[in-house]
Each structure stands twice: as C-alpha cells, then as structure tokens.
Amino acid sequence: MKWTKFYLPDAYSPTMEQLVYFHDHTMSIITSITILICILLNSLLWNKLIDLNMNEHQMIETWWTILPTIVLLLIAIPSLKILYSMEELINPTISIKSMGHQWYWSYEYSDKFCKELESYMKYNKKNDFRLLEVDNKMKAPFLTQIRMIFSSSDVLHSWTIPCLGIKMDAVPGRINQSSLMIKKPG
C-alpha cells in the first residue's frame, strides 16, 4: 500500500471485506443518485415544458417521499449488519491485551503463555511509514479468532490497523474489546 493510492487497502480480515463491499454498495447508490440528479437538472435547464396539471399532483409527491426512504433502508440495513458483526466475539482462541502509554504501546499475551512486549515508534527513515513503524511489532496468528483488549494508562489513544478494519480507542480506566481474525499472513 502506498500513500498516493486513493482506494481502500487490501482486506486481510472478514470484517474489512464486508466494509469494502459496503463501501462499494453505498458508492453505487450515491453515484446513481448523482447521475439521476444531473440528468434532471439538465432537462430542467434546457426544456421549457410547463404542465399545469403537475402543480397539484399527489402521486409524484408520494413517490419522492417513498423512494428516499427505500434508499436509506438499502443503506442502513447492511450498515447495521456490519456494526453488529464487528462487536460479536465468537469463542476467541487467544486474548491480547494492548495498553496505551504516552509514547508507546505495551502488549500482553496471557492465554497460553505469558509474554509481554513494548512497542516504540521508530524515527523516520526513507522507506518507513511515518508514525506507523515500530521496533517490536505485535504478532498475531492468522486464521484464529483473537480477542483484543484495549486500555490506557494516561490519555486517550487510538489503536488501528486499516487493512484489518479495526480501530479502537484506549481510554484510561476503561476496558474496550474487539474481535479480530486475520485471513492472510503478513
């Protein structure tokens, strides 16, 4: 993935695949509405057709109220389905606790073996992604249901991996959790 690309990153989890499909679904609806509005505006600008019977036509008013409601339902139903599936924890095999600190993250693997590591940001090099590269990367198994537990020791932190479709806030004194399943290694 490069910074100059304008599309979504490759999906490495089922959640991100659903988010990409939802994005494509919503953009097709928005594009078709935009094209329809442009065609209608163009016909209004170039045609001087006046129909006095259309002034009090109840049927067209009914339809331009019902059609936007149907469009909103076509967008809302898949969106709610994805939101509920993102919050669902299905029998996690491993739990990883992620604790946000002032300038670093600490991770704790505590289910099968107890391992802790601290992950500090690297300074800029030519080929590194700015503010994303770290010295100790968190390692997670793929094709395994993972529970991520987030908290913070000092201030609000945001933990995200865009290609997995996960973004959680670490809040001091509060524990947030999310499920994660990686489909491809890397």
Side-chain angles (χ1 to χ4, degrees):
M1 189 171 121
K2 303 215 177 193
W3 291 107
T4 57
K5 294 184 180 178
F6 290 109
Y7 46 88
L8 296 172
D10 294 336
Y12 283 82
S13 71
T15 303
M16 188 61 186
E17 286 176 355
Q18 289 179 351
L19 289 173
V20 169
Y21 293 144
F22 176 70
H23 173 266
D24 295 343
H25 168 73
T26 307
M27 286 306 293
S28 64
I29 291 173
I30 291 172
T31 304
S32 60
I33 289 172
T34 304
I35 290 171
L36 177 68
I37 296 297
C38 289
I39 290 171
L40 289 175
L41 283 175
N42 191 24
S43 69
L44 278 175
L45 288 175
W46 298 109
N47 293 332
K48 300 293 182 200
L49 302 174
I50 298 174
D51 187 6
L52 295 176
N53 292 328
M54 289 291 285
N55 287 342
E56 294 192 22
H57 202 278
Q58 304 293 323
M59 186 58 72
I60 197 165
E61 291 180 9
T62 304
W63 279 108
W64 74 39
T65 304
I66 291 174
L67 285 177
T69 306
I70 293 171
V71 168
L72 286 175
L73 284 175
L74 286 174
I75 293 173
I77 291 172
S79 171
L80 290 173
K81 179 185 166 200
I82 293 172
L83 281 173
Y84 280 111
S85 71
M86 288 172 72
E87 292 295 322
E88 190 175 321
L89 283 173
I90 306 169
N91 216 6
T93 306
I94 189 169
S95 294
I96 301 172
K97 181 181 174 187
S98 178
M99 188 73 131
H101 300 280
Q102 189 69 35
W103 291 104
Y104 65 98
W105 287 89
S106 62
Y107 299 101
E108 180 181 325
Y109 302 83
S110 59
D111 283 341
K112 308 226 184 301
F113 53 90
C114 190
K115 181 180 178 185
E116 294 183 18
L117 64 103
E118 293 179 346
S119 182
Y120 290 90
M121 255 189 319
K122 279 186 182 176
Y123 291 106
N124 291 340
K125 291 183 182 174
K126 187 174 182 180
N127 295 329
D128 288 346
F129 285 119
R130 184 175 180 268
L131 300 177
L132 291 178
E133 292 293 328
V134 294
D135 58 353
N136 290 326
K137 295 181 180 180
M138 183 195 84
K139 294 174 179 63
F142 71 102
L143 296 178
T144 303
Q145 195 68 31
I146 303 167
R147 174 178 47 206
M148 294 290 302
I149 301 170
F150 303 97
S151 189
S152 173
S153 63
D154 44 20
V155 296
L156 292 175
H157 295 279
S158 183
W159 192 90
T160 182
I161 301 177
C163 62
L164 294 178
I166 184 170
K167 181 178 187 332
M168 288 297 290
D169 292 327
V171 182
R174 180 177 174 188
I175 295 177
N176 289 335
Q177 71 177 0
S178 180
S179 67
L180 177 65
M181 182 174 170
I182 304 168
K183 289 182 85 173
K184 301 175 189 174

